[in-house]
Amino acid sequence: MRQTLIHEEKITVSSHYTITTLAIDTSPKAMIGSVGSFKSCHPVLVRSPSTTSTPMSTASLRPSILSAEHLVAKRVFFRKEPGKGRYRFSTEDELAKTLDEANCLYWGAALMGMAYTFVDQMLKTGKVRKDVEKLVPRLRLVRAALVIPVDIDDSDSRANYLIEERISGTFVKYINNNSAVPARILDSKEAEIGLFLCLVQHIQYRLSNEMVYLSDFQGSGDLLTDCQVITGSDFVNNFGDGNCTAAFKNFRSEHQCNQFCRAFGLQALE
């Protein structure tokens, strides 16, 4: 069995100054949670430089992802048969897949921001029922960054990682990738969040002129991760293999307006 090493990846702001070093434990025993359908998750240790000679403080240069208390590194893989074995992509293919994941989070943050802008503007009008207003959760996508090692000599060890904030607590799948309704097995609080996320989809679909919305909502607490951007067939290649255009085509008929949609003045899609 080949020994698994801890990779140390350096993030730099120029050729002279190092912000920090990320140590990623890729050993099987350290893996976080059960292996997903196409990504493994590993703990990350952030190591700040012991001394600094930069003209600016490292705190002022540090990206927001590095301000998170705990981080994880996710790496994509594929299976040759369902549920059997994990195989790594070539470096080039792995980078493309990881970029798709990062792109979904980038767009996801923007689309969530658009939805909350609409929600907050409606709340300011005073027209939203108070009992519904109290149920509005404050959710956001995890902060993330793409990490590409540049100083590993062993070509077999080269990897591309998506670094994210670590989510604590019970992990919940609110809406599946190919669905426009909440998952069936949710407790009362989770179900409320699921219904609110259906409102979010409705807002995104409407405000984008029926071009795009988010799905595959999952996470814990106020953090969401691994969202999927869903579009029509014109943009099928823009957001990875999870961009389920069949779900997009059926969204108008499958979306079920709920108390949030009605309270925020959205008209039925059918």
Side-chain angles (χ1 to χ4, degrees):
M1 179 180 295
R2 180 177 175 179
Q3 184 180 8
T4 304
L5 302 178
I6 296 179
H7 299 307
E8 292 192 356
E9 328 296 0
K10 290 184 177 179
I11 298 177
T12 59
V13 292
S14 73
S15 59
H16 302 290
Y17 305 122
T18 298
I19 296 179
T20 192
T21 299
L22 302 181
I24 303 171
D25 189 344
T26 61
S27 63
K29 290 184 178 180
M31 194 175 298
I32 298 172
S34 57
V35 178
S37 300
F38 59 95
K39 289 197 295 278
S40 56
C41 187
H42 311 274
V44 176
L45 177 65
V46 179
R47 296 174 177 170
S48 298
S50 57
T51 59
T52 60
S53 59
T54 62
M56 300 175 64
S57 69
T58 57
S60 65
L61 295 172
R62 178 170 295 182
S64 60
I65 178 62
L66 295 180
S67 65
E69 185 174 359
H70 300 288
L71 299 176
V72 296
K74 295 182 178 180
R75 190 180 180 191
V76 297
F77 65 85
F78 69 94
R79 301 184 191 274
K80 295 181 180 180
E81 296 182 36
K84 295 184 179 180
R86 300 194 306 273
Y87 299 88
R88 296 301 181 187
F89 293 95
S90 68
T91 303
E92 293 77 12
D93 289 343
E94 183 178 74
L95 177 57
K97 298 285 186 183
T98 309
L99 281 169
D100 283 338
E101 294 294 308
N103 196 33
C104 280
L105 284 172
Y106 178 81
W107 275 77
L111 288 167
M112 287 297 291
M114 179 178 70
Y116 270 109
T117 295
F118 176 87
V119 166
D120 291 338
Q121 288 177 343
M122 284 297 298
L123 291 177
K124 288 180 181 178
T125 67
K127 297 179 180 180
V128 179
R129 292 182 1 233
K130 294 299 181 181
D131 60 321
V132 175
E133 180 178 352
K134 292 179 181 179
L135 298 177
V136 173
R138 291 292 160 176
L139 309 170
R140 67 172 176 84
L141 271 295
V142 291
R143 297 185 180 94
L146 179 68
V147 171
I148 305 174
V150 294
D151 58 353
I152 296 178
D153 295 328
D154 183 0
S155 60
D156 291 335
S157 298
R158 292 188 181 277
N160 301 286
Y161 295 100
L162 187 65
I163 305 297
E164 297 182 3
E165 294 174 84
R166 181 169 181 172
I167 294 180
S168 301
T170 303
F171 204 82
V172 180
K173 172 85 81 165
Y174 297 105
I175 300 178
N176 291 318
N177 187 35
N178 59 351
S179 178
V181 297
R184 293 182 180 180
I185 305 177
L186 296 174
D187 65 28
S188 58
K189 180 62 176 179
E190 295 165 357
E192 287 177 0
I193 294 176
L195 290 173
F196 176 79
L197 290 171
C198 287
L199 164 72
V200 167
Q201 289 182 323
H202 193 162
I203 294 170
Q204 293 166 346
Y205 185 76
R206 281 298 196 192
L207 295 188
S208 67
N209 292 321
E210 304 182 0
M211 293 181 66
V212 63
Y213 64 88
L214 286 179
S215 195
D216 211 16
F217 285 113
Q218 55 196 296
S220 181
D222 62 349
L223 291 179
L224 300 172
T225 186
D226 292 339
C227 64
Q228 176 63 53
V229 178
I230 303 293
T231 70
S233 57
D234 289 344
F235 305 100
V236 65
N237 296 320
N238 290 61
F239 300 102
D241 297 334
N243 186 3
C244 186
T245 57
F248 183 87
K249 184 178 180 180
N250 296 329
F251 181 74
R252 291 182 64 90
S253 61
E254 293 188 356
H255 171 80
Q256 300 173 10
C257 282
N258 58 56
Q259 60 177 334
F260 288 106
C261 299
R262 292 186 287 272
F264 282 88
L266 295 182
Q267 295 181 350
L269 295 174
E270 292 185 287

